[in-house]
Amino acid sequence: MKTAVKLFARARDLAGTAMLELDLSESATAADLRAVLGEQVPALQLILPSLLIAVGNDYAGPTTRVAGRTDLAVFPPVSGG
Amino acid sequence: MKFSPMIQLTHEPIDFAALTESVRSTQAGAVVLFLGTVRELTHGRQTVALDYDGYPEMAEAKLRELEAEARSRWPVIEAGIVHRLGHLELGDVSVAVAVSCPHRHQAFDAGRFLIDRLKEVVPIWKKENWSDGSTEWVHPGTGDVADLSDRTP
């Protein structure tokens, strides 16, 4: 299924967009999302292992389900302050 | 006038005097204010400006979680956290944390916890604008040169 993912900071710059539509399976986890991201957006492979995945307002672990969510975001380690 | 304690992201200059006033209370014997400001030199490299990006919904949710955790660990009377986004010049205030507690050590500890955890978990990013004209996102742990900028206590 087509799933929208927001991008921020360097991830957005490398992908050239603030929002991606990824084709994810109906049982997709955050680990699957990361793999699909690398396949569909080769420019992100450079920082793929360090990218954080958020589901809603929480950080996802590798097994967190992302299928069917409308509030996904992907971004590099944070540097506020 | 007295402002309500606040947690927010803003593109406007931070009114840290108002934020500090908003956490004052007759129950508190101590008020601590932390300001993060744009520094010129990072390991010998010269910054001319910083650009901050954020994921507002999640960032504000994480800030509220941090406030709740601080309240569970210290007798916080009031706490306020404001982070600025957008283009900041040298010396500008990027973040302000204000905390009031009955006693000073509690206020210092709670304030330090809030700014330390903010830098670890709140989805906000800074981009360096170096004096040589180059720009660089600061993403700790990814091997970027600008990594070093945030590793100094």
Side-chain angles (χ1 to χ4, degrees), chain B residues 30 32 65-79 97 99-117:
Chain B
V32 164
E65 284 177 22
L66 293 185
E67 183 196 347
E69 190 177 348
R71 286 181 179 279
S72 76
R73 295 176 60 177
W74 294 278
V76 172
I77 308 296
E78 296 293 355
V97 177
V99 187
S100 60
C101 290
H103 299 284
R104 69 184 181 284
H105 58 90
Q106 302 156 344
F108 274 118
D109 290 351
R112 178 166 188 152
F113 164 82
L114 287 171
I115 185 60
D116 284 354
R117 290 292 287 156

Side-chain angles (χ1 to χ4, degrees), chain B residues 2-82:
Chain B
K2 209 153 165 98
F3 290 79
S4 315
M6 47 187 146
I7 289 211
Q8 69 174 72
L9 305 188
T10 178
H11 282 80
E12 304 301 317
I14 297 173
D15 187 345
F16 51 85
L19 182 72
T20 308
E21 196 60 30
S22 76
V23 304
R24 279 168 31 75
S25 162
T26 53
Q27 296 171 266
V31 174
V32 164
L33 170 68
F34 171 84
L35 298 181
T37 61
V38 179
R39 181 182 61 236
E40 181 171 16
L41 289 175
T42 297
H43 299 276
R45 293 190 79 184
Q46 190 178 17
T47 297
V48 293
L50 294 177
D51 288 289
Y52 282 88
D53 184 21
Y55 178 7
E57 300 93 326
M58 183 176 175
E60 290 186 7
K62 286 290 167 211
L63 289 173
R64 284 191 293 273
E65 284 177 22
L66 293 185
E67 183 196 347
E69 190 177 348
R71 286 181 179 279
S72 76
R73 295 176 60 177
W74 294 278
V76 172
I77 308 296
E78 296 293 355
I81 310 171
V82 182

Side-chain angles (χ1 to χ4, degrees), chain A residues 27-39:
Chain A
S27 61
T29 63
D32 298 328
L33 190 162
R34 189 185 303 275
V36 169
L37 201 57
E39 289 163 16

Side-chain angles (χ1 to χ4, degrees), chain B residues 38-50 90 127-138 143-149 152:
Chain B
V38 179
R39 181 182 61 236
E40 181 171 16
L41 289 175
T42 297
H43 299 276
R45 293 190 79 184
Q46 190 178 17
T47 297
V48 293
L50 294 177
L90 293 183
K127 186 167 68 178
E128 288 276 5
N129 294 258
W130 299 112
S131 58
D132 64 7
S134 65
T135 64
E136 191 168 27
W137 285 106
V138 182
D144 291 355
V145 176
D147 262 14
L148 293 170
S149 70
T152 308

Side-chain angles (χ1 to χ4, degrees), chain A residues 13-38:
Chain A
D13 286 3
L14 287 172
T17 178
M19 178 79 81
L20 281 172
E21 287 253 312
L22 297 181
D23 208 356
L24 297 178
S25 76
E26 294 191 4
S27 61
T29 63
D32 298 328
L33 190 162
R34 189 185 303 275
V36 169
L37 201 57

Side-chain angles (χ1 to χ4, degrees), chain A residues 5-8 11 30-31 33-34 37 44 47-55 58-62 66 72-79, chain B residues 55 58 62 119-125 139-140 142:
Chain A
V5 178
K6 290 180 190 151
L7 301 174
F8 293 96
L33 190 162
R34 189 185 303 275
L37 201 57
L44 286 176
I47 59 170
L48 198 60
S50 69
L51 289 176
L52 303 171
I53 297 168
V55 179
D58 294 308
Y59 288 102
V66 300
L72 300 176
V74 170
F75 45 77
V78 304
S79 58
Chain B
Y55 178 7
M58 183 176 175
K62 286 290 167 211
K119 291 170 82 84
E120 291 170 352
V121 304
V122 177
I124 295 173
W125 306 269
H139 293 320
T142 58

